[in-house]
Amino acid sequence: MPFWRRNRDQTPDRPPEPAPPEVIEPETVAPDWEPDPADFDDPVPPADIAVSPAVAAEAEPLPEPEPVPEPEPVPAPEPAPIFEPPPPAPPDVPIPAAPPAFDPTAFLAVAKPGTIDAGLERSRGGFMSQLRGYLGGADGPAWDEVEETLIGGDVGAALAIEVVERARKRRDPGGPEAAVRAELSALLVRRDLDWEPRSAVAGGPAVVLVVGVNGTGKTTTIGKLATRYVAEGRVIILAAADTFRAAAIDQLRIWADRAKVPVIAHAPGADPGAVVYDALDAAVARGADLVIADTAGRLHTKSNLMDELTKIRRIIDKRLPGAEPETLFVLDATTGQNGLAQAIAFHEAVGLTGIVLTKLDSTAKGGIVFAIEHALDVPVRFVGVGEQAGDLIVFDPDAFVEALFA
């Protein structure tokens, strides 16, 4: 029945209420009660009860079983070898021998020595051919052209004018060519063809300083001089005083090995004067009669480098008082008048005693010989007419002029 129709006295049916739980009273315990330990321990059999051996055996632990060894692996059967015919034997090809070590001077052993005539072949076909043509014309000598040809041949402008003027006044019976030839010969310094470096100190070695600009063949010239003097029976020591360029020391050692002469050298960058001093000490101790010293290639415009040469001269005078060393200037004949300016600067700085003219065979202008001897009044001692050691020959003025006009 809906609640809005229910009488106020009627109430809805309610579930019965549950009965209250029964309260169990705990048992009372005596205050002096203590727990008995026997109630908590495992029961132990009495001592008088014997345990049978079978039961005791069952109580002992069983031994661990021994490990069963693993079976060894059985190797796989090898396959049956397959027969192959042996390869054919290679043909007997000779094994080439290892090439010998490179020696830049090896060609010197088989090269023939050069001559002044062969060295002047280009000059004869160059300016000398033109000069003789202007001197022997059908209408007489063309003196203006002769003057220009001499200038072009590295004789020099001022010197060429003097030669032409004196030749025209000479009235030589042999004609204009003989007159020019005589005037050119007069420019050359008279010398002793048997010259060689000699010691001015009793018991001391002769000393040769080789100076010049890099690239003129200075170190190569020293090697050729050493080869020449060793062949004459002299005892040589080389001094590697060009410490500025490391390659110069190595190059000098190659030449020293070739000529079988000792070389005194320090580390690159060392004091050149110390190298020369040690070389002089070694020469005195070993009884050598000639010391040839290489020096650093330098430009004549570098005053500090030129001063270094004067320092080396002072060191020589200190170690060997009165030694009077020879100072040879190496000049490249192809440099012409510029080389003459270099020679003048070196002569003013250290006092040159001789000239070595290299690469004379590579130029068609042999007139530099006349210009340099006339300007310095210093003789040309050697000329290089080739790359071989025998191509550094003693300069003979008469033979030079003869070959030039041949």
Side-chain angles (χ1 to χ4, degrees):
M1 173 183 297
F3 69 90
W4 59 85
R5 289 189 171 182
R6 185 179 304 166
N7 295 330
R8 292 182 179 180
D9 296 336
Q10 293 180 349
T11 58
D13 296 333
R14 295 180 180 178
E17 294 181 2
E22 182 181 1
V23 178
I24 301 175
E25 295 293 337
E27 295 181 0
T28 60
V29 180
D32 56 350
W33 179 86
E34 291 182 3
D36 187 2
D39 295 338
F40 303 98
D41 295 338
D42 293 335
V44 179
D48 55 351
I49 300 176
V51 180
S52 63
V55 176
E58 292 179 359
E60 293 180 1
L62 297 176
E64 296 182 359
E66 296 182 0
V68 180
E70 296 182 0
E72 296 182 359
V74 179
E78 297 182 358
I82 301 175
F83 176 76
E84 293 182 359
D92 295 336
V93 179
I95 300 176
F102 175 70
D103 183 0
T105 62
F107 62 90
L108 302 177
V110 297
K112 295 181 180 180
T115 61
I116 189 66
D117 185 71
L120 292 175
E121 183 176 354
R122 289 192 177 185
S123 293
R124 281 197 303 270
F127 91 103
M128 284 305 300
S129 177
Q130 299 177 7
L131 181 64
R132 300 179 73 177
Y134 292 133
L135 289 172
D139 299 333
W143 292 110
D144 291 341
E145 285 74 10
V146 169
E147 182 179 306
E148 293 178 0
T149 303
L150 291 175
I151 295 173
D154 284 338
V155 174
L159 188 57
I161 294 174
E162 293 180 12
V163 169
V164 169
E165 289 180 353
R166 290 197 295 264
R168 295 179 68 172
K169 297 176 181 178
R170 192 178 183 91
R171 306 293 181 181
D172 195 290
E177 180 178 328
V180 172
R181 177 174 175 172
E183 291 299 329
L184 290 175
S185 297
L187 299 176
L188 300 177
V189 179
R190 298 294 101 182
R191 75 212 64 206
D192 181 10
L193 296 180
D194 295 331
W195 171 90
E196 63 179 11
R198 296 181 177 88
S199 174
V201 180
V207 182
V208 175
L209 285 178
V210 182
V211 301
V213 179
N214 282 332
T216 58
K218 178 168 53 67
T219 305
T220 302
T221 298
I222 294 174
K224 293 179 179 180
L225 286 174
T227 303
R228 179 185 186 89
Y229 288 129
V230 166
E232 295 177 0
R234 303 192 66 169
V235 181
I236 313 291
I237 286 182
L238 301 183
D242 185 358
T243 59
F244 182 74
R245 184 172 62 97
I249 300 176
D250 297 334
Q251 185 180 2
L252 190 64
R253 282 197 175 108
I254 292 175
W255 281 100
D257 293 340
R258 185 68 185 178
K260 294 181 175 57
V261 297
V263 56
I264 305 299
H266 289 186
D271 183 9
V275 178
V276 174
Y277 193 93
D278 290 348
L280 296 177
D281 275 349
V284 173
R286 303 176 190 180
D289 58 1
L290 177 59
V291 174
I292 305 177
D294 189 10
T295 61
R298 63 207 72 212
L299 294 175
H300 57 287
T301 56
K302 300 294 184 180
S303 59
N304 58 331
L305 295 178
M306 297 295 286
D307 293 340
E308 191 176 281
L309 287 177
T310 60
K311 174 186 174 182
I312 294 177
R313 290 289 299 268
R314 291 195 303 268
I315 290 175
I316 295 174
D317 294 337
K318 180 180 179 180
R319 180 61 184 83
L320 295 175
E324 299 180 2
E326 297 282 348
T327 305
L328 299 182
F329 177 73
V330 180
L331 175 64
D332 185 348
T334 62
T335 58
Q337 291 296 308
N338 185 39
L340 176 59
Q342 297 171 4
I344 293 174
F346 274 85
H347 188 47
E348 294 174 352
V350 294
L352 304 179
T353 60
I355 306 293
V356 179
L357 197 62
T358 62
K359 307 176 186 179
L360 188 60
D361 59 317
S362 300
T363 180
K365 303 176 181 180
I368 187 63
V369 176
F370 303 104
I372 197 169
E373 289 208 0
H374 176 74
L376 302 181
D377 196 25
V378 173
V380 174
R381 295 297 187 188
F382 298 94
V383 290
V385 294
E387 298 179 352
Q388 290 79 15
D391 290 340
L392 187 68
I393 60 179
V394 176
F395 181 74
D396 184 348
D398 296 334
F400 173 76
V401 175
E402 183 70 26
L404 202 60
F405 282 86

